[in-house]
Amino acid sequence: MWIFICLASNIGILGLFKYANFLLTNFFALAQRFGLRCIEYRLDLLLPVGISFYTFQAISYTIDVYRGEVSAEKNILKYALFVSFFPQLVAGPIERSGNLMTQIRNIESIELKNLQNIKEGFMLMLWGFFQKLVIADRISIFVNAIYNDYHKYGFMEIGLATTLFAFQIYCDFGGYSDIARGAARIMGFTLMHNFRQPYLATSIRDFWSRWHISLTSWFTDYLYIPLGGNRRGKGRQVLNNFIVFLVSGFWHGAQWNYVMWGFLHAAFQTFGCIKKALFVKWGIFQTKATFSTRIRKIISTFILVDFAWIFFAGNGLQNALKLLRQMTKAFMIYGITDLNFGVFDWTALILGIFILSVVDVLHEKGISINRFFEKQENWFRGGVMAALLWSIILLGVFGEDYTVREFIYFQF
Amino acid sequence: MKSINKVMPIVYFFLFLIGVEVITSYLAIDDAAIPSRYILHNFYNRNENIDTLFLGTSHTMYGIDPEVYERITGNKAYNCGTNWQYLDGSLALIKEADRLYDLKQVYVDLYFYVCRQPNRKERTSSDLVSAYYISDYMKPSSNKYMYIFSASNSEHYVEALIPQRRYIKNLADFRYIRSNLSKKSTENYQNYILESEYEKILKNGQTTCITSLENQGFYYEGIGYSLYDSKEEWNDWKEVLNEMINYCKEHDISITFMALPMSDFYIMQAGGLKYDEFIEEVLNVIETSGIEIDYWDFNLTKTRYLDLQEKDFKDISHLNSEGAKQVTALLADLEVKNNKEDIFHNNYQQKLDSEVKIFGINLMVDEEKNVITIMPATNADDKEITYKITHLDSEIKINYQKNASFQYETGEKYKICSYINDKLCNTVWYTGK
C-alpha cells in the first residue's frame, strides 16, 4: 500500500509538471480530429529544473527499501541530502541508494580537507568545464546556425552539423557529469560514472551500457527486469525492449521527437539482436575480433546513434523530418563560410575533439588518467592543470560575444 | 620533504599559469598604437610627484600642456587623459594617483558626449573598449580590480581581467602574430615611445600634435554627435560625478571640472543651445554636492581671452599643440589669479548672441551622383548667407537655400567660402571623393 502511495506521488508530481500539457495538447488535437469542439486548456506551470532526475532517484530509493536492498533512512536530513545532493541535482548521475545513501550515512567519516580528493575533484571539474565550454558550446554555434536555417544547406552541411551534435551532446552531458563528480569528490563523495567512452561502442546494446549509465541501469533494474527482461522468450524481450526505450524517450521530454528517438534505438537494438541470431544460425559473417572489425563496428554504431540524434536535436518531430528531407533533397555543398565560425573556432574545436578522443581511447585501454597523472613528475601535473584552465579561459565559449547556453540536460 | 612534494604541483601550476599568461598576451595583444599603454607607463614611472592631475578624454590628451601649466603655477603636473575616458575611469585614476603620489589637485574634463556614458551595468563589449584602455595598463592594485568590477557587469569580468581573451582569435592568424612580434621588437615599443611624423606622447602624458585645420576649415562630412537624446542618459554620469566629488573631499584633493574647447562648429552641430542644458546639469550636480567646486567651461571663453582659430585645432573637436598652449596658459592663469567672472560668458546663448557667425559647414556628399549638399552651422538668418565655390578658375556663386548643393568632380579640390551679408565668415577646402 505505502509503496503505491510513494510511487504514485512521485510519478504524479513528475506527470503533472512535465507531461500534463503534452497529454492535454494531444487530447485536444485528437478531439478536434474527431470533430469534437472543446475549450483548449493548458496548465501554466514552471517546470522545476532537474525534476526527472531527482524523481527517479527518489523512486529508486523507495523500491530499494521495499525490496529490502537498503534499510529505510530515519534521519530526514540525510534523506533530503540524498534526494537533493546539489552537484548532481539538476542533471544526474541518477544516484542509487546503495552508493550515495551509504556515503551519506557515513558522512561523519568523510575527510573534508583531503588534498588528494581536492586535486582529483578539481581536475575532474576542469575537464568537465573544458568539455562544456570549449567543445560543446563551440559546436552549438555551428549546429544551431545550420539547424535553424537548414533550408539553406544540403546533405554535407546538415550531415556535418549532425556529426558534430553527437560530440556536442556528449561533451555537454558528459561535461556536466564530470563537473558534478568533481564537485562531489572535493567534498569527499564519490558519484557513479555516467559515461564510459560511448562513441567507442561496437553495437547499440554496447552504446547503452556506456551512455547515461545511471539512467540505463535505472530502467534495467526498475522497468526492464520487472517486465520480465529476457526471461520470457524472444518476443517478450523485444516488446520489453521497445517499452523501455519508448519510456526512456518520453522521460527525456514530453515531445514526439524524443519518443521517436527512443523508438529508433529500440528498433536498432532489436534489429542487431535478430541479425546476430540469424547470422549465428546460418553461420555467416562470423567475424574475428580484429582491429578493422572493431573499427567498422564502431563507425556503423556511431552512424546509427548519430542518425537518431537528429530526432533528439531536431526541435520537434516535424522539424526533424524536415531536416531529413532537406538532407536527401540537396546533395550539393552550399558552403559554410557565413556562419561566424572562423579558422580560430575550427582549430579550437578540432584540438578539443582530438584531446577528448585521446582521453577516451586511453580510458578504453584501461589506462586511468588519474593514476597516470599521479605517476608523473610535479611539473607535468601542474602544467597540465594550468593548460586546462587556460584553455577554458581563453578558448571557452562564454561572455557577451556568445549566447549563454544551458546544459542540454537541464531541460529534462 | 613529503609536504614540499605535495605543494610542488601547486607551485608548478601557478608558474605555468603565469608563463602562459605572459606568452599569450605577448603574442595576441597588439597594443603598439594604443596611447594609454604609454600614458599609463609614464604615469607609473615618474621620478617626481604629481601635484596636479589632468583627466578626461582625447580632448585632454591633446588639449593640456603640463609644461606650460608647470611654468605658470610651479606645480608638478601630469596629463592622464586617455581616449574616450569615462568618468568612472577618471575616478579610478584619481584613486591610483592618490595612492602613488601626494596629489593635491585634479582637473577633470567633462566632454558632453562621454557624459552620455552607458550605464555601467549595461555596457557592451564595444562600450568597454575605452575602459580597457585604462584597466589593461593599470598596475595590479585594489583600485584596478574595484574599477574592473564596477565598470561593467559580471559577463565582462573575464575579458577585463584577462585581456588576451579579447584578442585570442588573432592567434589563429600567423600574419598577425608575425606583424605583432615585429612591432614589439622595436626599440620604441620596448622603451615606451610612441612617435609619428605629426604626433608624440611626452613623458608628462601630453600627446602633442602639429597638424592643423589651416587650409582645410571647419567642415564635417555627414552629421556629427548629438548632445543627448534623453536626459536620462546622464544619470550614471552624474552618479559617478558625485562619487568623484566625495572621494576628493574625503582625501583632501581639490577638484575642478572643466570643458576643454571644441570648435563652436562642433557644438553647433551637436545641438547648439542644448549645450546650456548640459552646463546646467553640471552646475546642478556641483550645487547639490554642497561643496564649492569650480567649473571652467572653455567653450564659453570670451574672444578677447581665447581666440582659437583653425590653426589651433587638430580637427573640429580637438586642439593641437598650439591650441593646447593657449588654453593651458589661460587655465593656469585662472588658477593663479582666480578671475573667472571676467573670462567666461554666463552661458552659450550669451556667447552666440555676441557675434553672428557661420561656424562651419556640414557636407552631405552623394558619391554616386557626385553632388554635395551644404548645410551651415550658424546663428545667422538663412537669407543672409551666400556661398562662393571655386574650382580651378571657375567660380560658382549660390545664395543660401535649404539643401544648397553643387556638382563636383572626383579628385578635384574645391574652395567653399561662406558669407553673411557678403562678409566672408568661413572657408573650407574640400577634395571630391
Side-chain angles (χ1 to χ4, degrees), chain A residues 211-395:
Chain A
W211 179 271
H212 204 170
I213 298 167
S214 62
L215 182 71
T216 310
S217 67
W218 195 99
F219 276 123
T220 308
D221 291 347
Y222 303 113
L223 187 62
Y224 184 70
I225 292 173
L227 284 172
N230 54 7
R231 302 185 307 274
R232 297 187 186 174
K234 288 288 175 200
R236 185 58 191 263
Q237 186 189 346
V238 169
L239 179 66
N240 291 343
N241 213 17
F242 270 93
I243 291 171
V244 167
F245 275 109
L246 291 176
V247 174
S248 172
F250 204 49
W251 175 89
H252 279 87
Q255 287 187 64
W256 287 113
N257 57 315
Y258 292 117
V259 179
M260 184 64 184
W261 171 75
F263 174 83
L264 280 174
H265 272 278
F268 292 153
Q269 192 162 320
T270 305
F271 177 75
C273 289
I274 294 169
K275 189 191 82 175
K276 195 176 171 189
L278 289 177
F279 285 1
V280 168
K281 193 176 170 186
W282 297 334
I284 53 171
F285 288 126
Q286 292 297 314
T287 51
K288 288 174 189 164
T290 59
F291 174 73
S292 57
T293 313
R294 192 170 158 74
I295 291 290
R296 175 177 57 76
K297 285 182 171 179
I298 288 172
I299 292 172
S300 52
T301 305
F302 180 82
I303 291 170
L304 292 177
V305 170
D306 201 30
F307 176 75
W309 282 136
I310 293 178
F311 290 89
F312 199 94
N315 195 20
L317 188 59
Q318 291 299 324
N319 215 41
L321 292 171
K322 280 180 192 166
L323 266 171
L324 280 173
R325 220 170 294 141
Q326 180 71 12
M327 279 176 87
T328 53
K329 216 164 60 180
F331 264 91
M332 60 185 90
I333 298 172
Y334 287 82
I336 44 176
T337 50
D338 58 339
L339 293 181
N340 195 21
F341 201 82
V343 180
F344 172 80
D345 287 304
W346 280 114
T347 313
L349 183 57
I350 291 166
L351 189 72
I353 292 178
F354 174 74
I355 294 170
L356 176 79
S357 310
V358 169
V359 170
D360 269 9
V361 168
L362 288 176
H363 276 143
E364 187 70 4
K365 286 184 174 297
I367 300 167
S368 157
I369 300 288
N370 263 340
R371 237 170 293 146
F372 172 78
F373 267 112
E374 283 309 309
K375 284 182 195 161
Q376 302 309 311
E377 291 186 16
N378 289 336
W379 69 267
F380 185 82
R381 282 147 63 191
V384 169
M385 271 199 185
L388 212 49
L389 182 59
W390 267 120
S391 57
I392 294 163
I393 293 171
L394 295 178
L395 310 179

Side-chain angles (χ1 to χ4, degrees), chain A residues 115 119 122 126 340 343-345 347 378-383 385-386 389-390 392-402 404, chain B residues 4-10 12-13 16-18 20-21 24 123-126 155-156 158-159 162 164-165 168-172:
Chain A
L115 190 64
K119 272 195 289 185
F122 182 58
L126 278 183
N340 195 21
V343 180
F344 172 80
D345 287 304
T347 313
N378 289 336
W379 69 267
F380 185 82
R381 282 147 63 191
M385 271 199 185
L389 182 59
W390 267 120
I392 294 163
I393 293 171
L394 295 178
L395 310 179
V397 173
F398 59 86
E400 196 208 42
D401 293 344
Y402 301 102
V404 177
Chain B
I4 290 177
N5 237 353
K6 273 185 177 176
V7 174
M8 278 319 280
I10 300 168
Y12 279 114
F13 172 71
F16 273 98
L17 276 189
I18 295 164
V20 176
E21 201 280 329
T24 50
R123 285 177 183 166
T124 62
S125 294
S126 51
E155 207 172 54
H156 301 280
V158 178
E159 271 86 357
I162 299 160
Q164 58 267 50
R165 186 175 150 79
I168 198 66
K169 290 195 174 180
N170 295 331
L171 287 184

Side-chain angles (χ1 to χ4, degrees), chain B residues 70-86:
Chain B
E70 286 180 0
R71 207 171 48 233
I72 298 171
T73 63
N75 295 332
K76 295 289 169 202
Y78 191 80
N79 181 345
C80 209
T82 56
N83 294 92
W84 214 253
Q85 188 178 100
Y86 291 131

Side-chain angles (χ1 to χ4, degrees), chain B residues 100-133:
Chain B
L100 298 166
Y101 301 101
D102 180 17
L103 186 65
K104 296 181 183 82
Q105 164 98 18
V106 288
Y107 285 93
V108 181
D109 177 47
L110 302 178
Y111 166 38
F112 65 80
Y113 196 71
V114 167
C115 294
R116 290 177 64 176
Q117 67 177 38
N119 188 306
R120 281 164 289 172
K121 292 294 163 203
E122 288 164 15
R123 285 177 183 166
T124 62
S125 294
S126 51
D127 294 329
L128 284 166
V129 170
S130 64
Y132 297 147
Y133 286 153

Side-chain angles (χ1 to χ4, degrees), chain A residues 117-131:
Chain A
N117 280 347
I118 293 172
K119 272 195 289 185
E120 280 179 22
F122 182 58
M123 193 68 187
L124 258 176
M125 287 180 78
L126 278 183
W127 178 234
F129 279 118
F130 179 84
Q131 290 177 77

